[in-house]
Amino acid sequence: MIKLSTAVFALALFACGCASFEPTPYQPAVDGGYGYSDEKLGPTEYRIAVAGNAATSAETLWDHLLLRAAEITLGAGHKYFVVAPTAASRLATIKPAFLMPQFGLGAGAITGVRTPLLQYQGLPVGVEPSRELIASLSIALTGRRQAGASNVFDARAIKQRLAPEPGVLQPAE
């Protein structure tokens, strides 16, 4: 016979595993939370980072990086920004932020979607690494487009294409 506390615990684990949430919105990161942050490296050079929760795709993080770069560029009175390639010749680095266990019960624990690393009273409890991501890039501001360069972006065009809908949290300038 199952005790009431055991059933409540199992139900709580199941609810945690089934919870759904929204992708990280475009917003400034506050106290190390999700969102964007930037650092001025020189007169026209910046490093931008965006942290997203597990529901945020790498494509969304890339869009947030570009939008923040466009805002910085236009705010400084420039028209274009150049994304500096990384040592691996990539424009941006997108990697897991850190690993954090996420618990839940269900078919995923058996099929391998969730890895059954521990059990509670004989029931597999799935634990999977977090899919939280952090993306970063470095930019240099410029007033003119460089012919043939694929890493130069028009700040106004980026902002028009990627700016959040009205009513969505806007960054403080």
Side-chain angles (χ1 to χ4, degrees):
M1 186 159 157
I2 297 178
K3 293 182 181 180
L4 182 59
S5 63
T6 303
V8 169
F9 178 74
L11 184 59
L13 281 177
F14 180 75
C16 290
C18 295
S20 63
F21 51 98
E22 298 294 318
T24 301
Y26 181 74
Q27 64 187 14
V30 178
D31 296 327
Y34 299 125
Y36 66 79
S37 60
D38 46 73
E39 174 185 10
K40 188 170 185 173
L41 303 174
T44 61
E45 296 175 358
Y46 293 81
R47 180 177 302 121
I48 304 166
V50 179
N53 63 24
T56 308
S57 69
E59 180 180 314
T60 297
L61 291 180
W62 171 245
D63 287 348
H64 289 186
L65 285 172
L66 289 178
L67 180 55
R68 184 63 187 146
E71 289 175 344
I72 291 169
T73 302
L74 295 171
H78 293 276
K79 293 181 179 181
Y80 303 96
F81 60 93
V82 180
V83 178
T86 65
S89 298
R90 295 190 176 106
L91 293 184
T93 301
I94 300 176
K95 61 183 179 178
F98 57 88
L99 296 180
M100 178 178 164
Q102 294 177 342
F103 300 96
L105 295 172
I110 297 167
T111 63
V113 174
R114 293 179 181 266
T115 307
L117 296 179
L118 53 101
Q119 293 190 347
Y120 178 74
Q121 302 217 349
L123 297 172
V125 177
V127 178
E128 64 184 2
S130 169
R131 295 184 310 129
E132 296 176 351
L133 298 173
I134 188 162
S136 62
L137 59 74
S138 296
I139 64 168
L141 312 181
T142 183
R144 58 188 163 90
R145 188 157 189 77
Q146 299 169 352
S150 61
N151 60 334
V152 178
F153 295 85
D154 181 325
R156 283 193 189 134
I158 293 290
K159 189 163 181 181
Q160 285 178 339
R161 185 171 61 89
L162 298 177
E165 299 292 323
V168 174
L169 182 62
Q170 296 291 322
E173 291 288 331

